[in-house]
């Protein structure tokens, strides 16, 4: 199974079932400051747990950074 995450293909033996599960794998310590688009549609944080992932989906994950 395969997802494209931030324009990079990633193969999974078992595809994470939901967007929330994917984010828990990719960013285990971070819950705030993340924006996500699935197949070019922004997904609000309150919908991550119910947003199902499918083989070949494209996920864009943007995180807030500090700087100056």
């Amino acid at each position: 199974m395969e997802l494209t995450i931030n324009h990079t293909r990633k193969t999974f033996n078992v595809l994470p079932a939901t967007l929330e599960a994917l984010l828990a794998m990719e960013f285990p310590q971070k819950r705030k400051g993340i924006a996500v688009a699935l197949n070019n549609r922004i997904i609000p944080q309150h919908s991550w747990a119910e947003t199902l992932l499918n083989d070949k989906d494209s996920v864009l994950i943007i995180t807030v950074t500090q700087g100056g």
Side-chain angles (χ1 to χ4, degrees):
M1 311 252 22
E2 180 179 288
L3 294 174
T4 300
I5 302 172
N6 291 354
H7 309 291
T8 302
R9 287 185 186 168
K10 187 168 183 178
T11 302
F12 296 85
N13 290 330
V14 177
L15 193 66
T18 64
L19 194 51
E20 185 173 69
L22 173 66
L23 292 171
M25 288 173 51
E26 296 292 314
F27 300 98
Q29 303 299 323
K30 193 167 176 94
R31 287 294 303 166
K32 293 185 177 185
I34 297 176
V36 181
L38 176 63
N39 299 323
N40 297 317
R41 288 188 57 216
I42 295 172
I43 307 297
Q45 185 174 5
H46 64 83
S47 297
W48 292 354
E50 57 201 40
T51 302
L52 301 177
L53 295 174
N54 296 299
D55 190 33
K56 309 286 188 214
D57 276 347
S58 177
V59 180
L60 181 63
I61 303 169
I62 300 171
T63 60
V64 174
T65 59
Q66 293 181 352

